[in-house]
Amino acid sequence: RICVITLAEAHPLLQSGKTIKNINYQISANCSRLQNKVSGKSKRGAQFLTELAPLCRISSSDGEEYTIYSCIRGRLIEVNENILSNPALLQEKPSTEGYIAVVLPKFEESKSVTQGLLTQKEYEEVLLKRRSSAS
């Protein structure tokens, strides 16, 4: 029931051949996702996230900045610090070593969260529709 947050394969950072300059987990002056300290079975100390909570900001070499949001309510279990020193992991291995964060939804909400997700086939159909309407 954990959720691994990654970049979607249709994200502009993965599509346009951009180079990632840096990744910043500092959300505001008082909030850094790197300060998340989780302990124990009940994940005490974990930052609570809403669907619209920013996880990080990614800057590309062309000056664009992308804010990556949680998209799910739950506790922030961990952020991937490996992408700070090796941002290329986001592009080279986005669904494995290049993940952004791990979020644990509330137990009672986890079923409704997973039921709202698209299958791989449904996601590909949405992308096809998006591409055909853009052209």
Side-chain angles (χ1 to χ4, degrees):
R1 86 182 172 100
I2 64 167
C3 296
V4 180
I5 311 295
T6 64
L7 286 180
E9 57 190 60
H11 194 281
L13 277 168
L14 301 180
Q15 292 300 308
S16 55
K18 294 183 179 191
T19 306
I20 296 173
K21 195 167 68 177
N22 79 325
I23 298 153
N24 189 356
Y25 283 110
Q26 185 77 36
I27 300 310
S28 67
N30 299 328
C31 180
S32 171
R33 299 299 181 208
L34 293 172
Q35 301 303 313
N36 192 50
K37 299 287 180 238
V38 180
S39 66
K41 193 169 127 183
S42 63
K43 308 303 177 212
R44 233 180 343 268
Q47 295 175 11
F48 188 78
L49 304 171
T50 64
E51 296 92 330
L52 301 174
L55 286 172
C56 68
R57 291 190 177 81
I58 302 173
S59 302
S60 65
S61 55
D62 65 358
E64 291 276 343
E65 184 176 89
Y66 301 90
T67 301
I68 308 301
Y69 295 93
S70 169
C71 300
I72 188 168
R73 284 170 42 93
R75 293 178 181 268
L76 180 62
I77 302 304
E78 76 173 75
V79 295
N80 185 0
E81 294 185 36
N82 295 333
I83 61 175
L84 294 173
S85 57
N86 187 3
L89 282 174
L90 275 174
Q91 293 165 311
E92 294 166 4
K93 300 177 179 181
S95 57
T96 56
E97 295 166 50
Y99 71 96
I100 294 168
V102 177
V103 177
L104 180 67
K106 286 185 173 178
F107 183 75
E108 55 274 5
E109 292 178 12
S110 60
K111 195 170 204 102
S112 65
V113 166
T114 53
Q115 287 173 342
L117 297 174
L118 298 176
T119 64
Q120 183 68 28
K121 189 174 178 0
E122 291 169 331
Y123 175 68
E124 288 166 2
E125 287 170 5
V126 167
L127 290 180
L128 276 173
K129 286 179 191 169
R130 191 182 295 168
R131 285 187 193 120
S132 63
S133 67
S135 47

